[in-house]
Amino acid sequence: MNRSPIDTVVRENIKSLRKALGWSQELLAEKTGVSAPYITQIEVGKRKPSLDIVEKLALALGVEYKVLFEPLNSTDIPVSSGFSKHMLEAKLISAVTKTIQNEFKS
């Protein structure tokens, strides 16, 4: 069985969950209290987050921290109550933003 190194799994999960929420790296940074460049460095593999940062990222992404250490594929992205709330919030914000943009275009 070919397994990815744990740091690869963690960074790919962070990026996948962030994108599933429709969040920018800047928004994730804001929600975790770390800098956007640090989020970028984590996602591209230049930095390895401490367990404290992993916990902050998991909390912001609405998953248990252990989920970030488990290999996932796009169909396995966990949907916990927190994650569902974030997804709903992201979709609602996107819909409202689109409506406002359309109003200003007309």
Side-chain angles (χ1 to χ4, degrees):
M1 180 173 175
N2 191 10
R3 298 189 62 162
S4 297
I6 194 68
D7 55 319
T8 301
V9 170
V10 170
R11 69 183 169 89
E12 288 176 356
N13 288 345
I14 291 167
K15 186 174 184 176
S16 294
L17 291 166
R18 176 184 62 77
K19 286 187 169 192
L21 289 168
W23 291 359
S24 65
Q25 291 174 335
E26 291 79 13
L27 182 58
L28 180 57
E30 180 183 314
K31 290 184 176 286
T32 57
V34 300
S35 71
Y38 186 67
I39 298 292
T40 301
Q41 291 172 346
I42 292 170
E43 288 188 1
V44 299
K46 290 186 177 181
R47 299 280 304 260
K48 295 179 185 178
S50 67
L51 290 177
D52 183 51
I53 298 297
V54 168
E55 185 177 26
K56 288 180 181 184
L57 289 164
L59 182 63
L61 294 166
V63 296
E64 291 184 50
Y65 75 92
K66 66 182 182 178
V67 169
L68 297 179
F69 295 95
E70 299 168 354
L72 306 172
N73 61 44
S74 60
T75 60
D76 290 336
I77 293 179
V79 181
S80 68
S81 59
F83 188 78
S84 296
K85 179 182 170 193
H86 287 303
M87 283 292 266
L88 180 59
E89 181 181 75
K91 287 180 181 183
L92 180 60
I93 290 169
S94 178
V96 169
T97 302
K98 187 180 258 184
T99 301
I100 291 170
Q101 288 172 341
N102 287 339
E103 285 297 315
F104 281 107
K105 286 180 184 177
S106 15

